[in-house]
Amino acid sequence: SIHLTVSAGQQNALVDFCEFAIPEALAAAAASAPGRILREGLPRDWLAYFGAVHSDRPSTGEAGEWEDRRKAFKMKLQACMQAVTKSLLDMLDPAADQFSLKYLSDRLQPAIPLSAALRSAADSPKEPLTPLTLLRIVRPGVARLAVEEGKLVLYHCMENARTYRGTPLQSLEFEMDDGPAIEKLLFSWPKAVQIAKLPHPTGDIHDKLELAKSLYQESLLEIVGEASPFARLLPPT
């Protein structure tokens, strides 16, 4: 028999993100100067006043001294958790990028409208691109830009298999200078962007064309048309 299970929000709860991100936040906090409290040794006798047999000892006499030590230890542990929380909040954006890759690799290859597919490299891999070419991402959410070791890495699901994780998640690597142009293409949908007008620190049209070609060859972009070379001469409407 064939069974189909449909789940909404599977492994997409706050607990899932915390389980993913907190180990990295803990390591980052321990390596930082404010997190030096995490590297302090445990009190040598802390097991003499923690544990099930010590949880309900009366708070008088010698037991009262142990209770004071328990309170001091809990306060120190609270300070440790505050250091980890600060580290987690500081790394929230990169952690979100890495967390999103799981969903991107789990999903099926996106269904692209026929009109968009005919205008992308999937159907026209050798279509020439010019500075006047208007490009648009084939569908929102098919790619995710992350920063890894001083490089921009663009992950995408355009080559995902029909079987679960049948192919590794594909990616392209770019220089940091390419970031504004990539973001412009990713976030301008449904509007098209002219290659010549892509924001790039160098302003070099060759750099813009090479970046656009890289994304187009991965079937991430569709050609919408060509901008008029005289458009800047026309009065605004």
Side-chain angles (χ1 to χ4, degrees):
S1 61
I2 298 176
H3 299 272
L4 176 65
T5 301
V6 179
S7 176
Q10 185 180 37
Q11 297 182 345
N12 197 41
L14 279 170
V15 65
D16 299 303
F17 178 71
C18 288
E19 185 178 18
F20 171 83
I22 285 178
E24 289 290 334
L26 177 61
S32 67
R36 60 183 179 274
I37 188 174
L38 289 161
R39 302 190 296 274
E40 293 181 7
L42 291 165
R44 287 180 296 175
D45 59 348
W46 78 288
L47 292 178
Y49 49 88
F50 270 102
V53 296
H54 302 292
S55 62
D56 55 356
R57 293 176 65 180
S59 301
T60 57
E62 183 180 355
E65 179 184 348
W66 296 138
E67 183 63 25
D68 291 339
R69 294 191 180 186
R70 284 171 63 92
K71 289 180 180 178
F73 186 86
K74 289 178 180 179
M75 291 180 64
K76 178 168 285 190
L77 191 60
Q78 186 176 29
C80 289
M81 293 300 100
Q82 289 174 346
V84 176
T85 300
K86 182 182 183 304
S87 176
L88 176 61
L89 295 178
D90 289 343
M91 60 180 289
L92 197 54
D93 288 315
D97 286 332
Q98 295 301 317
F99 186 75
S100 72
L101 300 185
K102 179 183 180 300
Y103 167 70
L104 205 60
S105 60
D106 286 351
R107 66 176 293 182
L108 289 171
Q109 184 182 106
I112 304 300
L114 180 59
S115 58
L118 292 175
R119 296 192 296 262
S120 71
D123 188 75
S124 305
K126 297 184 179 181
E127 186 74 21
L129 302 182
T130 73
L132 297 176
T133 302
L134 297 169
L135 296 172
R136 178 173 61 202
I137 192 166
V138 292
R139 184 169 175 177
V142 297
R144 184 81 184 193
L145 190 63
V147 179
E148 298 179 2
E149 299 180 356
K151 295 283 187 178
L152 288 176
V153 183
L154 185 69
Y155 293 92
H156 68 86
C157 58
M158 296 304 296
E159 297 183 25
N160 283 14
R162 294 182 64 184
T163 56
Y164 181 67
R165 294 199 174 186
T167 57
L169 189 62
Q170 300 299 301
S171 65
L172 296 170
E173 190 174 287
F174 297 92
E175 297 297 330
M176 295 296 292
D177 285 350
D178 296 325
I182 297 173
E183 292 174 358
K184 181 71 174 179
L185 289 166
L186 290 179
F187 302 130
S188 292
W189 192 93
K191 296 181 179 179
V193 181
Q194 183 182 337
I195 292 178
K197 294 184 178 180
L198 288 173
H200 200 282
T202 66
D204 191 337
I205 191 61
H206 175 75
D207 292 338
K208 299 179 182 183
L209 279 169
E210 288 302 310
L211 184 147
K213 288 176 183 177
S214 298
L215 300 180
Y216 179 76
Q217 291 300 324
E218 291 290 305
S219 298
L220 286 165
L221 302 175
E222 61 172 311
I223 296 175
V224 176
E226 291 280 323
S228 169
F230 306 106
R232 63 182 181 276
L233 304 178
L234 297 177
T237 57

